[in-house]
Amino acid sequence: MTMVAEAPLKNAVPTDQELIDFVVREARLIDQQRFDEWLDLYADDAFYWMPLEWNQTDPRLTCSLMYEDKLLLSIRVERLKGARTFSQKPKSRCHHVLQTPQVDSRDAAANSYVTWTPMHYVETRLEEQTLYAAWATHHLSVENGKLKIKLKRVDLINCDAAFGNIQLFM
Amino acid sequence: MTRYAGNAAALRALVRDQEVHRDVYVSEEVFQLEMEHMFPNSWVYVGHDSQVPNAGDYYGTTIGTQPILLVRHTDGTVKVLHNRCPHKGTRITSETCGNTGKFFRCPYHAWSFKTDGSLLAIPLKKGYENTGFEQSHAATGMAPVRHIRNYRGFVFAKINDGGLDFEEFFGESLSSFDNMIDRSPVGQLKVAGGVLRYMHNCNWKMLVENQTDTCHPMVAHESSAGTVVEVWKKAPPGTKKPMAVEIIAPFMSPYEFFENMGIRIWDNGHGHTGVHHSIHSDYSAIPGYFEKMTAAYGEERAKAILGENRHNTVYFPNIMIKGPIQLLRHFKPIAANKTLVESWTFQLVDAPDMLLERTLMYNRLINAPTSIVGHDDLEMYERAQEGLHSNANEWVNLQRLYSPDEAGQTNVAVNGTSEWPMRHQFRAWTKFMTMGM
Ligand code: FES
Ligand SMILES: [Fe+2]
């Protein structure tokens, strides 16, 4: 597992390829269960958002499947390591298949870059293997020469379906 | 092989004073009998009337496994109809909710019905002349559920004619609804924020029982709430406690906390945890809210309303409400080993938005398929559903703090870790299961 978690950018403004590589790396860190390194990709004021409604615009007064700041994300990561985390005995595993991320917008002056990535995500535990189809939208910015996630939004195509436990990160 | 159909004695034998037979959870036959007897004999929650505010609005749901429809009739009243075309059985509405206008029209052969279910028109009506159609069941239209009651916006229905009337069935337990509704300065709730749906591979009763199981949080939720407490300890001193920590951390309260909080028992399987205090007691004040409540009710009454900390109120058979956080969970049976859990949230009309924000945060942190607290519980239910197939012991123990004289008692407050509420739910289960057999 020699992949570099956070590759420093060559220049102050990231290229499209650097944005794409970043999104792909993020998924790989989840798949390899390198959650501490994964968490480092998130800015301190970042949010991870999984809407409950199709085209949801409001995470505050409309319920979401997830709307978590870095504190909550770090709690999840710690929990996954816990000796008494019974729902993770045995552990879940996951697998991302990404389409090539598209750079939807880039605004160097505002230090804001947005990518859009259609994906299939598979989570397994014991005999069960569940497939989810989703679009991931990454809002990225450069901090100290590295890309950081400000917002990751995961729109499940069946966001309003009744699911069993979804244990890891899409 | 049928063991239980038409055999009230065999069904009664499944429930003993201090234990219940595993067949109440694993037997498909018992499940079918619950659908035929227990649910139709009970007053079952349908929905909230704010889900159908305008004439023609409808919402499709179930009583047990039977599809039904809540609809706002043209005269403004709320009706509950069986969601089945009287012609060939087609489900009438294609979506869960919507507006049908002045009438329902079956998508198969276009029979149409008024919003109270009565037959409006049939295409090529002539074909039914001289067939005795007027005497047919089909001519009566979509069958209404005859016994319905709208209690301050919450609609309940009973399918069977027998059984208890609404007041007898719920008795004093309605005070938990009153408290949740009175938390609005204008005494009104509105469904808001969307519904979370969570599929459980276990029997619906495991969820109902768990609502009053206060010996599991500090064990099962060490993984989630325990981690929250640990992570929060590392925050720099003086950091303002986030809403999320306020919501999750109390699940790790010690046994003593739950013993002292108390459980109240009412008739017919209803009851609530949190007689004195609960995991909802120490939420931060929401700016401007108390002032509004005081203006509406006077200070003393406002304090009394907000001082009530009922944790989980179980309404037998299959809902639970949380007054202090305005949330209702509906445990919808699908099969002996499958249950759909819907978590509904309510907005207190004329109260600050931040209350709804907290309600939604609670819902997504505790009750979502993507939560962490919910994962802990579901893991235990599914392990129980599997473990019960062991022949080592056919009985589930519900003996904690049992007292032989408890059976007839009602409206008592007992030790918060007692399994009395579960024994009490099973006494109600037997009663409504065998009623009229
Ligand atoms: S089934 Fe409804 S009109 Fe024929
Ligand atoms: Fe629990």
Side-chain angles (χ1 to χ4, degrees):
Chain A
M1 300 205 189
T2 54
M3 182 191 70
V4 182
E6 282 181 281
L9 294 169
K10 294 226 168 53
N11 299 297
V13 175
T15 62
D16 277 10
Q17 192 58 48
E18 281 173 322
L19 294 170
I20 291 167
D21 289 348
F22 179 89
V23 171
V24 172
R25 255 198 327 269
E26 195 229 343
R28 177 166 165 184
L29 286 175
I30 301 173
D31 288 353
Q32 293 185 326
Q33 310 215 355
R34 294 158 71 181
F35 295 122
D36 290 313
E37 291 166 77
W38 171 74
L39 206 51
D40 282 342
L41 300 183
Y42 285 75
D44 286 341
D45 58 352
F47 274 90
Y48 181 108
W49 185 15
M50 197 187 283
L52 176 64
E53 284 186 359
W54 183 247
N55 290 333
Q56 187 174 331
T57 53
D58 180 4
R60 195 176 150 246
L61 299 182
T62 302
C63 199
S64 298
L65 287 160
M66 281 174 78
Y67 186 63
E68 309 223 330
D69 60 11
K70 211 169 169 183
L71 175 75
L72 283 170
L73 291 178
S74 68
I75 285 165
R76 283 182 185 268
V77 167
E78 283 310 305
R79 176 179 177 271
L80 290 172
K81 301 175 191 163
R84 301 216 175 108
T85 303
F86 302 111
S87 76
Q88 283 296 282
K89 286 177 175 295
K91 286 190 180 302
S92 302
R93 293 180 211 131
C94 69
H95 181 213
H96 287 78
V97 180
L98 308 184
Q99 274 184 31
T100 306
Q102 297 170 36
V103 179
D104 271 7
S105 78
R106 48 161 53 252
D107 184 343
N111 191 15
S112 162
Y113 307 90
V114 182
T115 63
W116 192 75
T117 314
M119 66 184 192
H120 283 183
Y121 168 87
V122 172
E123 201 171 281
T124 70
R125 183 169 176 246
L126 294 160
E127 316 305 322
E128 270 197 33
Q129 176 165 301
T130 314
L131 173 67
Y132 303 88
W135 295 279
T137 310
H138 287 75
H139 294 249
L140 306 171
S141 69
V142 179
E143 284 181 13
N144 302 320
K146 288 173 179 171
L147 280 168
K148 293 276 179 187
I149 299 170
K150 301 290 266 188
L151 170 70
K152 180 177 179 182
R153 171 179 173 141
V154 178
D155 283 278
L156 285 169
I157 185 163
N158 58 346
C159 51
D160 43 11
F163 301 108
N165 280 348
I166 299 174
Q167 306 248 17
L168 301 176
F169 305 95
M170 288 193 197
Chain B
M1 189 178 90
T2 61
R3 285 190 204 178
Y4 299 111
N7 190 346
L11 285 166
R12 278 192 201 100
L14 292 172
V15 176
R16 297 176 178 169
D17 280 352
Q18 303 159 16
E19 53 188 10
V20 292
H21 192 269
R22 65 170 172 193
D23 277 2
V24 306
Y25 305 100
V26 302
S27 160
E28 277 296 338
E29 189 196 358
V30 170
F31 180 84
Q32 286 311 325
L33 293 169
E34 288 178 339
M35 298 306 115
E36 283 170 39
H37 299 278
M38 205 211 68
F39 276 82
N41 283 331
S42 305
W43 283 91
V44 180
Y45 179 64
V46 176
H48 191 265
D49 70 6
S50 65
Q51 292 170 258
V52 289
N54 305 309
D57 285 351
Y58 64 84
Y59 161 64
T61 181
T62 47
I63 292 181
T65 48
Q66 297 190 43
I68 54 152
L69 208 47
L70 177 68
V71 56
R72 182 76 64 172
H73 187 41
T74 26
D75 69 0
T77 60
V78 162
K79 307 281 180 202
V80 180
L81 307 175
H82 290 272
N83 195 356
R84 175 213 193 273
C85 181
H87 181 206
K88 295 184 82 176
T90 309
R91 181 163 55 85
I92 292 289
T93 55
S94 51
E95 302 201 75
T96 305
C97 58
N99 185 287
T100 192
K102 286 197 169 30
F103 58 91
F104 290 112
R105 180 179 183 271
C106 179
Y108 201 173
H109 313 94
W111 289 23
S112 60
F113 313 91
K114 293 185 192 152
T115 44
D116 62 357
S118 56
L119 187 62
L120 183 64
I122 297 181
L124 301 172
K125 185 92 197 274
K126 274 217 255 343
Y128 290 96
E129 276 170 18
N130 306 318
T131 63
F133 180 70
E134 289 69 24
Q135 278 72 55
S136 74
H137 195 278
T140 58
M142 290 170 70
V145 176
R146 273 204 301 279
H147 309 279
I148 75 167
R149 182 62 175 272
N150 182 343
Y151 186 79
R152 300 187 70 184
F154 292 83
V155 180
F156 292 85
K158 180 165 65 74
I159 288 179
N160 283 356
D161 288 338
L164 309 180
D165 69 28
F166 183 82
E167 273 71 24
E168 227 181 330
F169 185 82
F170 283 119
E172 291 164 281
S173 74
L174 293 168
S175 58
S176 282
F177 271 113
D178 289 335
N179 180 258
M180 181 157 82
I181 300 162
D182 291 346
R183 284 168 181 263
S184 151
V186 294
Q188 208 182 323
L189 295 181
K190 213 170 93 189
V191 163
V195 55
L196 271 172
R197 304 168 73 238
Y198 195 176
M199 196 61 83
H200 281 48
N201 290 319
C202 67
N203 190 271
W204 64 276
K205 294 187 291 302
M206 288 183 182
L207 280 134
V208 179
E209 282 171 50
N210 187 63
Q211 306 311 309
T212 59
D213 183 319
T214 54
C215 288
H216 86 278
M218 63 301 286
V219 184
H221 299 308
E222 187 182 331
S223 128
S224 49
T227 308
V228 169
V229 171
E230 289 309 309
V231 170
W232 179 239
K233 271 187 199 154
K234 291 181 210 131
T239 319
K240 189 181 174 298
K241 202 188 238 188
M243 201 186 256
V245 175
E246 270 190 3
I247 285 172
I248 307 184
F251 282 82
M252 269 314 272
S253 305
Y255 286 114
E256 204 188 2
F257 174 94
F258 288 100
E259 285 192 306
N260 294 335
M261 85 181 200
I263 296 186
R264 193 187 310 281
I265 315 283
W266 288 301
D267 264 341
N268 299 323
H270 318 306
H272 76 90
T273 54
V275 178
H276 308 110
H277 60 264
S278 78
I279 62 163
H280 304 301
S281 299
D282 291 329
Y283 293 159
S284 303
I286 303 281
Y289 176 47
F290 186 68
E291 291 72 7
K292 279 206 143 177
M293 288 293 283
T294 305
Y297 295 101
E299 192 175 331
E300 202 182 324
R301 171 103 178 94
K303 278 191 175 149
I305 292 168
L306 301 177
E308 195 63 69
N309 279 303
R310 302 183 185 194
H311 174 176
N312 293 341
T313 299
V314 171
Y315 288 97
F316 187 83
N318 67 332
I319 61 164
M320 178 275 273
I321 67 165
K322 278 178 173 294
I325 196 91
Q326 299 92 50
L327 195 146
L328 182 151
R329 296 176 81 210
H330 199 166
F331 310 118
K332 291 183 162 176
I334 294 174
N337 61 358
K338 196 165 181 176
T339 306
L340 171 64
V341 186
E342 289 181 349
S343 295
W344 294 87
T345 45
F346 296 88
Q347 184 164 28
L348 297 168
V349 175
D350 206 27
D353 280 351
M354 208 176 164
L355 280 153
L356 177 61
E357 185 180 353
R358 182 165 67 191
T359 299
L360 296 178
M361 184 182 281
Y362 187 98
N363 208 20
R364 103 181 153 250
L365 292 177
I366 312 297
N367 300 325
T370 37
S371 81
I372 47 178
V373 177
H375 289 180
D376 297 335
D377 290 313
L378 176 51
E379 175 72 10
M380 295 308 136
Y381 308 145
E382 292 186 346
R383 287 191 193 200
Q385 193 73 31
E386 285 177 27
L388 286 172
H389 287 91
S390 159
N391 291 335
N393 171 3
E394 296 188 349
W395 296 88
V396 171
N397 188 287
L398 299 174
Q399 200 155 7
R400 201 181 146 68
L401 293 168
Y402 170 74
S403 122
D405 64 348
E406 70 182 29
Q409 294 186 48
T410 182
N411 200 14
V412 283
V414 299
N415 180 305
T417 60
S418 175
E419 285 171 344
W420 185 338
M422 301 173 209
R423 297 189 286 272
H424 176 67
Q425 285 157 18
F426 275 105
R427 288 182 197 115
W429 182 87
T430 311
K431 172 173 165 180
F432 295 104
M433 189 75 161
T434 58
M435 193 172 258
M437 258 187 198

